[in-house]
Amino acid sequence: MTRFIKGMLFFSSPIFIYILLVMYIDPFNVIQKESNQRLIELKSHISGKVNYPLYRLQGFSDNPTEIILLGDSRTDKLKTKVFDSLTRMNTTNLAYGGGTLPEIIESFWYATKVHDLKQVYIGINFNLYNADNTMDRVTEAINLKSSPISYLFSQASFKSTSLIIKSIIIGETVNVEKPDFNKVGFWKYQLESSANNFYRNYKYPDHYFEGLLEISDYCKKKNIKLIFFTPPTHIDLQQKVNEFNLVAAEIRFKADLSKLGLFYDFDYPNNLTENKDNFKDPFHYNDSIANIVINEIVTGKINYARTHNNMYK
């Protein structure tokens, strides 16, 4: 019996050590808020990219704000401090790299349960408006937040904890999302692989439109300012819509958004989208363009955005 107990302890010790490490690091701050500045920085750069929804939804739970941003990596480019300076309120960016419409919708309803909202900004590009894209990491993240055991043994916690410990040991932050291409190579990859994957199996998202309509109705009822916008992409990417014979679907997409709330469209051929220097790749603009987008959608003073009235009148 003694030998059995010793054997159990021997084989269980790695599990106990792992649990203690994850509880101490707590990569997504689910157990408690982090106060160690070095760990705060490491979690932001590592956990925040290993699982965007889990990290950001927990952050919103800990520090809820009156304004939220929803979308994918293009909306993620918008800096909350710029919003804060213009609105004089606090902002949380709940946009996620690789974000989907189901994640936008679920994140909105999660936020409404945590805090009373005053303004909501939703960035949606045409390639995102696709019924074929059903990924939903938000529901998973909400479930992990509510289940300590699932959280401790989740892939996200294991990977984040490992990378954070590695960063501490080597004395520098591990880069989670560094591409294996130079700008020219990555630009080509994004057009020939990523863009084609979005449009090859495109299906119009009637069900998701109903979900967005429910958000619109809720915001009207609660007197929440709701802004929809399509972030700018380079014209190389815009031309993919023609290549896949989806022009009519894109027109319908923009008409749909205009029915839901105030809508700003930056994604069309113009001085911003024709200049490669304004973009890191065909999907993602640089910080100077991000500030232009923020200023226009917050203030309503338009230089580049098209609105419903001048698009569809």
Side-chain angles (χ1 to χ4, degrees), residues 25-248:
I25 298 294
D26 189 14
F28 296 92
N29 303 319
V30 170
I31 298 172
Q32 62 182 358
K33 293 180 69 173
E34 185 58 68
S35 58
N36 183 294
Q37 189 58 41
R38 176 58 175 155
L39 283 178
I40 289 173
E41 294 172 359
L42 287 173
K43 291 178 185 182
S44 175
H45 288 95
I46 295 174
S47 305
K49 290 174 180 157
V50 168
N51 191 314
Y52 285 95
L54 182 55
Y55 183 80
R56 296 198 175 182
L57 291 177
Q58 184 59 46
F60 183 77
S61 298
D62 291 338
N63 297 290
T65 59
E66 298 89 352
I67 302 174
I68 61 170
L69 316 179
L70 302 169
D72 63 6
S73 55
R74 288 161 285 199
T75 301
D76 182 34
K77 289 286 295 178
L78 305 182
K79 304 299 184 184
T80 56
K81 64 181 181 181
V82 183
F83 274 89
D84 296 348
S85 66
L86 291 171
T87 64
R88 304 301 179 187
M89 290 185 283
N90 294 322
T91 307
T92 300
N93 195 325
L94 294 178
Y96 320 122
T100 66
L101 277 175
E103 293 176 344
I104 289 172
I105 293 168
E106 291 302 319
S107 294
F108 172 82
W109 293 117
Y110 177 84
T112 62
K113 295 173 184 176
V114 173
H115 194 62
D116 291 333
L117 302 175
K118 293 184 179 179
Q119 297 183 21
V120 177
Y121 296 83
I122 303 180
I124 305 177
N125 287 83
F126 178 56
N127 71 282
L128 191 62
Y129 200 69
N130 187 346
D132 195 55
N133 195 347
T134 60
M135 182 176 67
D136 180 8
R137 297 165 295 177
V138 171
T139 298
E140 177 194 30
I142 294 171
N143 291 335
L144 289 177
K145 277 167 47 57
S146 62
S147 173
I149 297 299
S150 297
Y151 168 67
L152 289 173
F153 289 97
S154 67
Q155 183 180 13
S157 289
F158 173 77
K159 183 175 182 179
S160 297
T161 299
S162 300
L163 293 176
I164 288 170
I165 292 173
K166 179 180 178 180
S167 297
I168 293 172
I169 292 172
I170 66 175
E172 61 182 58
T173 304
V174 175
N175 193 328
V176 177
E177 294 184 328
K178 185 177 180 180
D180 295 326
F181 305 94
N182 57 26
K183 180 173 181 177
V184 174
F186 192 55
W187 193 283
K188 182 178 180 181
Y189 172 81
Q190 289 284 65
L191 287 177
E192 296 182 356
S193 179
S194 301
N196 289 353
N197 288 337
F198 279 121
Y199 293 132
R200 185 178 291 113
N201 299 309
Y202 183 83
K203 295 177 184 177
Y204 206 81
D206 294 300
H207 176 68
Y208 295 151
F209 175 73
E210 293 300 320
L212 294 174
L213 186 60
E214 291 179 8
I215 290 175
S216 177
D217 290 341
Y218 178 89
C219 289
K220 290 176 184 176
K221 181 180 178 180
K222 297 292 185 177
N223 197 30
I224 299 170
K225 180 181 179 181
L226 177 63
I227 302 291
F228 286 90
F229 64 101
T230 53
T233 64
H234 190 266
I235 56 172
D236 286 355
L237 180 58
Q238 295 173 27
Q239 289 168 0
K240 285 289 181 177
V241 176
N242 291 316
E243 182 179 326
F244 283 86
N245 299 313
L246 293 170
V247 173

Side-chain angles (χ1 to χ4, degrees), residues 1-18:
M1 188 68 176
T2 303
R3 180 182 295 179
F4 174 76
I5 293 174
K6 288 181 177 179
M8 287 294 293
L9 290 173
F10 175 77
F11 287 108
S12 300
S13 58
I15 297 176
F16 290 131
I17 292 172
Y18 169 77

